[in-house]
Amino acid sequence: MFKIEYKTQRLALPFFVLMGVLFLVQAGFGFLLALQHNDPALLQGSLNFNVARATHLNLGVLWIIAGFIGALLWTLPLLSKKEVGSPAIAKLLFFALIVVVGWNVSTLWLAQEGNAGWWGDVPLFQEGLEYIEGGRITDTLILVGFLLFSWIVYRTLPPRRAWNEFHWGIALGVGGLTLVWIFGFLFFPEIDKQEYFRWYIVHYWVEGVWEVIHISIVGFLLVKLFNVSMKAAGYAVFWGISLVLLSGLIGNGHHYFWIGTPEVWQFWGSFFSALEPLPMILCFWHIYLDSHHDTRPIANMPAFLFLLGSAVFEQVGAGILGFTQTFALTNVWEHGTWVSASHGHLALFGTFGMLAIGAAYFAIPTIRNVKAFNQRLGVLGFWVMFVGVAGIALCFAFGGTVQVFVYRVLGLDWYGAEVHTAMALWKALMPVFALVFIGGAGITMYDLWTIGRRGSIFLDHDAAIDQDEMRRQLVHLPSPWSRRLRLFALGGWLGAMWLFGGIITFGLLSFNFDVVRAGDPTLPYVLAGIGYTGLWAVTIAFVARFHLSLAARRHWSTEAAEAGAPLERVAETA
Amino acid sequence: MDEPGSPLRRSVIVVMGLMLAVWVALYFFSFNEARGQADPAQFSFRGQSAKVGKKVFQAYNCMGCHTIVGNGAYFAPDLTNIVDTVGPAWLAAYLPSAGTWPTEALLGIQIERMAEEGLIEQKTLAAYYAAYPGARERIEQRGGRRANMPNLPFRPGEIDALIAFFAYTSAMDTEGWPPAVEARAGIVRQTRESLHRRAGVLSDAPQAPRNPREAPAEDAAPGQAAVAEPARANALPDGEHLAASYGCTACHSTGSNRMVGPGWGNLYGSERTLSNGSTVKVDDAYLAAAILEPDRQVPQGYVPGVMPSFAGKLKPQELDALVAYIRSLAQGDR
């Protein structure tokens, strides 16, 4: 374990605390939404669904941004080998962020009164556009915050000539984040133009600059965790960023199929967004390579697991599920249903949320100067959250498939008695998984909050390991899943994920078949059943496999491993 | 492994520039006027423009439950083609009291008004139903039942503006989305019936409107409802039934709570302050006048134009029965 090298890295801590608070509140709103899906009358009139949803979405963006700011304040000094520039502004930014959150959340409910605060064509208080519900006052506050943060980043970066790929990635990411936000200040009377520019923010954040930031931070944290060479990781960062931008720029076209823009987008959008998984495969591959760069035990397992979760959900949620619905012929059916939300939850929380939490697990022990901490709670929190969000996304996927059939194929449009009734099972399961997720979130945030503060069981891998504990766990070692994961096997796991992704894609495609359109849902239901179940099973099993194989390392004799003995034999003889 | 600044890496930047050029070209192609996409400036309703309608749509964050061109939440139906489906009169009948599906009587009033103003061509319910089968389906199956949407405090003109906006979105070319329904009628009917059974609502046969405060799940079987009706209404032959079938109870509760309009419980005999500051005692004459010309004496805190006028719709005995029913809610046994 390493400690902070620059005292301004401590500035990250309040942002991580804020992240945790907002995250829990956001998850709570998600639970409320799940309940309202089951009983639409719940809190109707006092907290309508649309207000709760807007709050859920906005807090989701804000806590991830708080996490990003924390992650960057902590990593930038290490990357640039100097203190954070303008630390006073960083302190100011923290309070500014609290003000923004407070203002934003307290204006969203005005939608219940139909009060946008229109001043000419400027909605001062809230503007009722999905993901960017805040009004111009919120927009302006956020822009100021982004500019302040860009300034801090700029002041912390080395002179331009000394930039490596990581510096470029962070500069492009933070600069781009600020730049595309400006498109949120536009009002159009035309729906097609409004949607066209709304996706400039939403798409270019999550499938553009956020990914660029994601790649840079993941790359750097892997360097730190595994002592990979900066040059090798920089190579991956460069190609990751290039592929994100090359595929994602025109890939935005997958949002332009049905909003009133011309048909030609169906070609451009389908083609380029089908390429969007490429950088994710690169990232997935690299997290394997870097973690198998040597065979030393993982010093900080929760941090690594959240990074792994981030790369895996980026692959599965953003890459594979995104791929299934990115073609005009599949998108035409799933567009506007829960199927989108399945992809959205896995991709957004999975990729960016888990990265932010992972970064916090890296940073907080170092900031508190904790030499060793009990990692079991963090590992437990990861797994509970992982299963929780997977369950949520699975409900969305199956419920959405039913929704496509009942609503689009049969044309039954009475939500209260027809569409909701058909989806009832998946709606009923949603709050259950939401509670599981909140449980995991609570465990994780408690753990982060108390790392180094509560009495800890000694688990420093650089020092002696509790002998009894080790002997107890050794019993499980002969399990093949504790052995080293080979690159070939990694390819097999990835192939299996894509195979099930292909089945899901074919299931969505099958809605075009005459027999399905005539009213027989067997084919899409069976394919969705196999595809989603299989993809989820493989994903969970893969993360378990990866986790077990790395967790077993701490039982291997490091000396033997360093002497070059094959890992399996080390494991067997240990 | 290539180095920073290598020819390969430079070529990536060149390709990026090329794609940016494609991107810009696609923008101009997308919003070229020759494309003939619907223009909101061409749509208005009762003097309200589609642009104002879009502002109303945003102000209430409609997208936070519904979708428009498929974007938004997935909690409620897509609204892009709603005007094509149900027509402007049904929307005008529904939106003021969105918590309850409108009845045929409420729709009839709106059709008549709009036909008089020359806003729609259909003068009768039958003609309207022929033009908008979606309206017929909603009236026959859902009329008078509780809807999942909350009552929203629309201001005067906002509903007209929304209708203008939806007329614009209905006219948009969305490249064939949503796909046309091609399912066999038999399968659709069968699935609908089985879902209605599971939801506890009845299908097919037109419904006698029932108390909208009852959740659909609590709805009784048709036989039970028919038996219960006369027993409840012994003192006043049909006031309660009339209130339900004209859709009054979509806005007025029989308790003292406010839904859209004032609750009827203990309304009779109370003193009301009007928006011009004067006070009035709620008696038979005031109630009758308020039903026939609701905009003449508007109480404080309420806006004119929300309640439709029932002049010419109610027979004199029906008006008397309604007033008597409201009076009974103050006197007694509830």
Side-chain angles (χ1 to χ4, degrees):
Chain A
M1 201 95 52
F2 46 101
K3 36 182 185 280
I4 55 167
E5 295 166 29
Y6 301 91
K7 63 178 194 301
T8 46
Q9 283 181 284
R10 286 177 201 286
L11 289 168
L13 189 60
F15 288 96
F16 286 128
V17 173
L18 182 63
M19 170 188 92
V21 173
L22 297 183
F23 174 40
L24 290 177
V25 176
Q26 191 233 356
F29 270 95
F31 179 60
L32 172 65
L33 292 172
L35 293 180
Q36 287 184 324
H37 259 290
N38 284 282
D39 177 12
L42 182 71
L43 292 184
Q44 202 179 72
S46 36
L47 186 62
N48 288 347
F49 181 89
N50 57 351
V51 174
R53 184 177 188 268
T55 313
H56 178 68
L57 294 182
N58 283 223
L59 288 180
V61 171
L62 288 165
W63 79 254
I64 288 174
I65 284 184
F68 276 3
I69 295 176
L72 287 173
L73 286 176
W74 186 82
T75 45
L76 266 175
L78 296 175
L79 260 174
S80 305
K81 300 191 169 50
K82 64 181 200 188
E83 296 284 350
V84 167
S86 316
I89 294 184
K91 283 178 194 156
L92 175 73
L93 185 65
F94 174 70
F95 294 105
L97 192 53
I98 292 179
V99 171
V100 168
V101 171
W103 171 263
N104 186 26
V105 169
S106 57
T107 49
L108 290 176
W109 72 272
L110 288 169
Q112 282 184 195
E113 317 266 292
N115 183 359
W118 287 108
W119 179 53
D121 286 343
V122 179
L124 292 176
F125 303 137
Q126 55 95 20
E127 62 173 336
L129 296 179
E130 191 193 18
Y131 302 116
I132 48 170
E133 285 90 348
R136 289 294 174 272
I137 296 175
T138 311
D139 294 349
T140 310
L141 289 172
I142 290 181
L143 183 65
V144 171
F146 283 163
L147 288 172
L148 289 180
F149 186 57
S150 301
W151 174 251
I152 297 167
V153 169
Y154 177 72
R155 288 285 309 261
T156 313
L157 286 171
R160 238 254 302 119
R161 283 169 180 282
W163 284 11
N164 58 25
E165 293 90 343
F166 297 88
H167 297 125
W168 273 106
I170 288 168
L172 276 176
V174 175
L177 177 82
T178 311
L179 186 70
V180 294
W181 183 247
I182 292 166
F183 291 99
F185 285 73
L186 305 174
F187 170 84
F188 299 98
E190 301 91 353
I191 275 285
D192 46 358
K193 269 194 193 161
Q194 169 221 296
E195 290 300 275
Y196 179 88
F197 284 107
R198 190 169 65 87
W199 290 112
Y200 266 48
I201 304 161
V202 182
H203 176 95
Y204 288 135
W205 271 18
V206 298
E207 291 164 70
V209 289
W210 281 24
E211 289 229 46
V212 170
I213 295 176
H214 177 265
I215 290 171
S216 312
I217 297 180
V218 169
F220 184 68
L221 293 183
L222 287 174
V223 166
K224 279 282 155 193
L225 194 57
F226 297 107
N227 267 328
V228 190
S229 88
M230 282 286 276
K231 204 175 151 195
Y235 176 76
V237 166
F238 174 82
W239 285 105
I241 292 175
S242 301
L243 287 172
V244 162
L245 295 178
L246 288 174
S247 62
L249 175 72
I250 299 186
N252 195 354
H254 60 209
H255 298 291
Y256 299 162
F257 295 160
W258 327 113
I259 62 166
T261 39
E263 193 177 8
V264 68
W265 282 108
Q266 295 179 21
F267 165 75
W268 292 98
S270 301
F271 181 77
F272 278 96
S273 66
L275 301 177
E276 283 185 28
L278 288 178
M280 301 165 193
I281 292 175
L282 183 68
C283 177
F284 184 82
W285 180 45
H286 235 271
I287 200 166
Y288 170 83
L289 284 185
D290 293 348
S291 58
H292 290 72
H293 158 80
D294 62 27
T295 57
R296 289 187 312 166
I298 308 292
N300 186 340
M301 188 57 100
F304 177 75
L305 278 182
F306 278 103
L307 283 195
L308 177 68
S310 171
V312 169
F313 273 147
E314 187 188 35
Q315 181 61 221
V316 173
I320 296 178
L321 290 185
F323 181 88
T324 64
Q325 47 197 249
T326 205
F327 303 99
L329 275 176
T330 56
N331 189 275
V332 69
W333 294 103
E334 72 78 30
H335 183 56
T337 69
W338 267 23
V339 177
S340 301
S342 170
H343 154 69
H345 279 75
L346 274 198
L348 198 83
F349 170 75
T351 311
F352 302 114
M354 285 213 166
L355 170 68
I357 299 171
Y361 263 109
F362 260 91
I364 291 177
T366 65
I367 292 171
R368 293 203 182 129
N369 202 10
V370 180
K371 285 237 171 63
F373 61 97
N374 181 356
Q375 305 189 348
R376 278 186 219 157
L377 213 49
V379 170
L380 177 72
F382 166 80
W383 271 107
V384 177
M385 241 197 291
F386 188 84
V387 170
V389 74
I392 289 168
L394 195 65
C395 288
F396 274 125
F398 285 141
T401 308
V402 174
Q403 189 178 16
V404 172
F405 180 72
V406 171
Y407 185 37
R408 298 256 183 268
V409 176
L410 299 183
L412 298 177
D413 58 2
W414 184 1
Y415 264 57
E418 292 160 2
V419 182
H420 284 182
T421 312
M423 298 163 74
L425 170 66
W426 306 109
K427 292 205 175 201
L429 284 174
M430 192 64 88
V432 178
F433 285 113
L435 278 184
V436 172
F437 181 80
I438 290 173
I443 293 170
T444 308
M445 292 307 131
Y446 169 80
D447 188 42
L448 280 173
W449 181 253
T450 55
I451 277 180
R453 289 180 180 171
R454 60 174 197 268
S456 73
I457 298 167
F458 193 60
L459 263 183
D460 188 345
H461 305 294
D462 295 333
I465 293 170
D466 181 327
Q467 292 296 317
D468 290 341
E469 164 72 10
M470 189 173 142
R471 235 172 267 127
R472 196 179 62 74
Q473 293 208 1
L474 272 176
V475 177
H476 302 293
L477 261 187
S479 149
W481 278 29
S482 296
R483 294 188 182 171
R484 182 192 169 105
L485 180 66
R486 301 264 169 213
L487 185 58
F488 180 74
L490 180 88
W493 285 102
L494 188 62
M497 289 176 190
W498 276 93
L499 173 74
F500 286 114
I503 295 175
I504 298 169
T505 312
F506 192 66
L508 282 172
L509 204 60
S510 73
F511 280 109
N512 291 295
F513 297 169
D514 284 343
V515 57
V516 180
R517 294 194 73 171
D520 179 4
T522 315
L523 194 56
Y525 280 8
V526 167
L527 290 173
I530 298 171
Y532 288 117
T533 314
L535 179 58
W536 261 244
V538 171
T539 303
I540 292 173
F542 171 75
V543 175
R545 169 76 177 89
F546 211 119
H547 178 196
L548 285 175
S549 109
L550 293 194
R553 279 186 182 179
R554 62 197 176 93
H555 303 300
W556 302 340
S557 142
T558 31
E559 294 82 29
E562 275 158 13
L567 285 169
E568 278 76 7
R569 226 173 56 225
V570 174
E572 279 152 20
T573 53
Chain B
M1 197 183 287
D2 53 84
E3 295 291 321
S6 70
L8 183 60
R9 289 198 179 188
R10 276 195 198 146
S11 65
V12 167
I13 294 165
V14 174
V15 174
M16 196 70 218
L18 205 67
M19 308 236 308
L20 210 57
V22 172
W23 184 246
V24 172
L26 281 170
Y27 170 81
F28 286 106
F29 181 74
S30 297
F31 298 105
N32 184 348
E33 286 195 9
R35 199 183 156 238
Q37 183 56 281
D39 175 6
Q42 307 297 319
F43 294 84
S44 66
F45 191 84
R46 288 194 177 123
Q48 299 286 347
S49 68
K51 179 182 167 183
V52 172
K54 183 165 178 287
K55 289 178 166 182
V56 176
F57 185 83
Q58 287 185 228
Y60 286 92
N61 191 5
C62 305
M63 223 180 166
C65 293
H66 294 273
T67 52
I68 187 87
V69 294
N71 292 329
Y74 321 108
F75 188 54
D78 188 80
L79 296 176
T80 314
N81 294 323
I82 191 72
V83 160
D84 279 351
T85 312
V86 298
W90 186 88
L91 280 173
Y94 173 56
L95 285 173
S97 53
T100 310
W101 297 105
T103 58
E104 195 164 80
L106 280 179
L107 175 63
I109 290 170
Q110 295 297 340
I111 291 174
E112 205 168 300
R113 269 175 75 182
M114 288 186 186
E116 270 170 29
E117 294 171 55
L119 294 167
I120 55 172
E121 288 163 15
Q122 303 81 16
K123 292 193 165 58
T124 62
L125 263 171
Y128 193 83
Y129 283 162
Y132 303 107
R136 173 182 216 135
E137 185 267 345
R138 279 165 177 74
I139 296 292
E140 288 181 351
Q141 298 191 20
R142 318 182 194 182
R145 292 179 188 278
R146 211 179 67 91
N148 282 341
M149 185 165 159
N151 285 316
L152 294 175
F154 288 115
R155 297 177 243 322
E158 287 189 337
I159 290 175
D160 295 330
L162 277 177
I163 292 174
F165 172 66
F166 291 135
Y168 152 65
T169 59
S170 280
M172 277 178 80
D173 175 2
T174 51
E175 300 299 333
W177 187 91
V181 174
E182 292 175 2
R184 283 201 296 276
I187 294 180
V188 175
R189 199 185 56 239
Q190 229 178 328
T191 315
R192 171 185 281 144
E193 276 171 11
S194 101
L195 288 172
H196 285 192
R197 227 172 289 128
R198 267 163 62 192
V201 298
L202 312 154
S203 66
D204 289 339
Q207 304 290 309
R210 58 202 57 230
N211 188 334
R213 284 173 306 145
E214 284 174 9
E218 294 163 8
D219 280 0
Q224 290 172 317
V227 175
E229 218 51 74
R232 266 197 308 218
N234 49 4
L236 299 145
D238 47 10
E240 185 175 359
H241 180 76
L242 279 173
S245 68
Y246 277 102
C248 309
T249 44
C251 294
H252 302 279
S253 78
T254 51
S256 46
N257 59 312
R258 173 177 178 177
M259 283 164 70
V260 178
W264 286 342
N266 296 320
L267 178 66
Y268 192 91
S270 66
E271 291 259 323
R272 310 283 290 176
T273 309
L274 300 181
S275 47
N276 62 12
S278 63
T279 54
V280 65
K281 191 167 158 54
V282 178
D283 54 14
D284 286 10
Y286 173 78
L287 283 177
I291 292 170
L292 298 178
E293 290 177 274
D295 288 349
R296 236 183 60 187
Q297 292 181 301
V298 181
Q300 252 174 17
Y302 294 86
V303 285
V306 175
M307 177 166 159
S309 158
F310 286 80
K313 310 291 180 303
L314 294 165
K315 299 190 194 86
Q317 316 89 283
E318 289 181 327
L319 182 62
D320 291 346
L322 272 176
V323 170
Y325 173 57
I326 297 170
R327 191 197 309 130
S328 79
L329 291 171
Q331 288 162 352
D333 22 274
R334 269 169 204 264

